[in-house]
């Protein structure tokens, strides 16, 4: 409870019905002669102390929309009819041959980003960052677009997820699941071993992720060289890339600290 918000005076018919209840009230006015603002009862959430009710109270307190999506929003969905067309193949770069993968917390279903790593014969690395192309499915000015703008983002609580868009998009065709074709907006960088970028490419693409890793699974493939399965070949590519980026990060930190000390001397 935000202690900066004062108690609110409301008029009710039965006080006992609201005892030990978490309720929602709306402030109507704050007369000059009153120590507290005046308001009215809106609804009862439930019993104080119940985990689900307290989570709902957090949503209400912060103005987060958690109601079901309207029929107008749901009418914007494809209802399972979406498929890749010949026109899509002409307009997008086909990257389904690449070993794209994602890394997320356990149980994640709304996979909105993925990546791939390659080591070139010249010693450089290619790093691809692939973001789910939601804009292909949510057209500007539609009910789905307006609702997504109103919600702003997906909200994660301990016991639930409040989606910005219906699950057909966030948890399915806009989720970069493994072994299925998905639309993405891809940023592809060629970098030298010192992480200097020598070439960039930004494109709308079609990808097909090979695996959805958890953080632990991905780290295991970096730490354990015996896990050299064909999914990633992490023993040669990702490990080398990780070592390179760690070296660059450490060097950057040292330089930053050194520059700070010089400024203090002046």
């Amino acid at each position: 409870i935000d202690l900066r918000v004062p108690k609110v005076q409301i008029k009710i018919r039965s006080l006992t019905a609201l005892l030990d209840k978490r309720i929602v009230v709306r402030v109507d006015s704050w007369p000059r002669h009153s120590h507290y603002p005046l308001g009215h009862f809106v609804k009862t959430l439930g019993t104080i102390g119940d985990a689900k009710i307290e989570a709902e109270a957090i949503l209400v307190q912060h103005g987060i929309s958690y109601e079901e999506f309207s029929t107008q929003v749901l009418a914007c969905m494809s209802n399972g009819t979406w498929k890749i067309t010949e026109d899509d193949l002409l307009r997008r770069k086909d990257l389904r041959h690449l070993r794209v993968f994602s890394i997320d917390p356990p149980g994640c279903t709304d996979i909105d980003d993925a990546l791939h790593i390659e080591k070139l014969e010249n010693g450089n690395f290619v790093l691809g960052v692939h973001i789910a192309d939601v804009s292909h499915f949510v057209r500007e000015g539609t009910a789905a677009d307006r609702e997504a703008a109103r919600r702003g983002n997906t909200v994660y609580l301990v016991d639930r997820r409040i989606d910005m868009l219906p699950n057909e998009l966030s948890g399915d065709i806009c989720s970069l699941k493994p072994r299925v074709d998905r639309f993405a907006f891809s940023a592809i960088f060629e970098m030298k071993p010192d992480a200097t970028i020598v070439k960039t490419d930004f494109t709308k693409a079609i990808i097909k992720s090979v695996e959805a890793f958890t953080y632990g699974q991905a780290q295991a493939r970096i730490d354990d060289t015996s896990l050299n399965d064909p999914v990633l070949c992490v023993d040669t590519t990702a490990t080398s890339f990780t070592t390179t980026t760690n070296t660059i990060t450490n060097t950057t930190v040292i330089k930053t600290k050194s520059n700070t000390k010089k400024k203090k001397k002046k």
Side-chain angles (χ1 to χ4, degrees):
I1 302 300
D2 192 340
L3 297 178
R4 295 172 297 178
V5 179
K7 296 178 180 179
V8 180
Q9 290 183 347
I10 61 173
K11 292 182 179 180
I12 54 174
R13 294 181 178 179
S14 175
L15 175 62
T16 56
L18 300 183
L19 292 177
D20 299 324
K21 302 295 182 182
R22 188 72 71 194
I23 66 173
V24 178
V25 300
R26 186 178 298 277
V27 175
D28 298 318
S29 63
W30 196 336
R32 292 183 179 182
H33 64 274
S34 175
H35 290 291
Y36 304 110
L38 306 179
H40 65 274
F41 169 81
V42 177
K43 64 178 180 179
T44 300
L45 297 181
T47 304
I48 293 175
D50 182 276
K52 291 185 178 180
I53 300 305
E54 296 302 333
E56 188 174 355
I58 292 173
L59 296 173
V60 172
Q61 180 181 349
H62 294 279
I64 297 172
S65 299
Y66 61 97
E67 65 274 9
E68 296 293 330
F69 288 101
S70 67
T71 54
Q72 291 82 0
V73 172
L74 296 177
C76 299
M77 303 298 103
S78 66
N79 296 318
T81 60
W82 173 78
K83 63 180 181 178
I84 296 176
T85 65
E86 292 296 327
D87 187 52
D88 293 327
L89 293 172
L90 293 174
R91 293 173 179 271
R92 292 176 177 270
K93 184 175 289 188
D94 193 344
L95 302 180
R96 287 176 288 183
H97 62 286
L98 297 174
R99 279 198 296 265
V100 176
F101 59 95
S102 60
I103 305 175
D104 289 285
C108 179
T109 59
D110 53 335
I111 304 172
D112 54 9
D113 57 79
L115 65 154
H116 82 276
I117 306 170
E118 292 181 289
K119 191 171 184 179
L120 304 178
E121 293 182 358
N122 62 5
N124 290 350
F125 293 97
V126 171
L127 174 64
V129 180
H130 311 277
I131 308 299
D133 190 359
V134 182
S135 63
H136 177 84
F137 302 96
V138 180
R139 300 302 183 183
E140 185 177 2
T142 61
D145 178 45
R146 292 192 298 271
E147 181 64 17
R150 187 174 74 87
R151 296 193 178 209
N153 54 266
T154 296
V155 178
Y156 296 86
L157 296 180
V158 174
D159 64 338
R160 71 188 79 177
R161 185 183 80 213
I162 313 300
D163 288 323
M164 183 178 71
L165 289 165
N167 188 64
E168 181 183 342
L169 292 182
S170 61
D172 191 8
I173 59 178
C174 288
S175 179
L176 305 182
K177 296 178 177 180
R179 295 172 287 279
V180 290
D181 297 337
R182 289 293 182 259
F183 286 168
F185 192 89
S186 301
I188 302 174
F189 309 93
E190 180 180 341
M191 297 187 293
K192 294 180 179 180
D194 64 356
T196 300
I197 297 176
V198 297
K199 185 180 179 181
T200 60
D201 183 27
F202 300 93
T203 183
K204 289 189 174 183
I206 304 173
I207 66 170
K208 190 172 186 178
S209 172
V210 296
E211 191 55 79
F213 290 104
T214 64
Y215 294 131
Q217 291 170 334
Q219 189 64 48
R221 280 164 170 75
I222 294 175
D223 297 337
D224 189 346
T225 56
S226 67
L227 296 176
N228 57 348
D229 55 70
V231 173
L232 282 181
C233 296
V234 169
D235 57 318
T236 58
T237 304
T239 303
S240 300
F241 187 78
T242 302
T243 302
T244 300
T245 53
N246 284 343
T247 301
I248 294 167
T249 302
N250 292 335
T251 303
T252 303
V253 171
I254 293 171
K255 287 182 178 179
T256 303
K257 289 181 178 178
S258 177
N259 292 339
T260 303
K261 289 180 179 178
K262 289 181 181 180
K263 289 181 180 179
K264 287 182 178 179
K265 289 181 180 180
K266 290 179 180 180

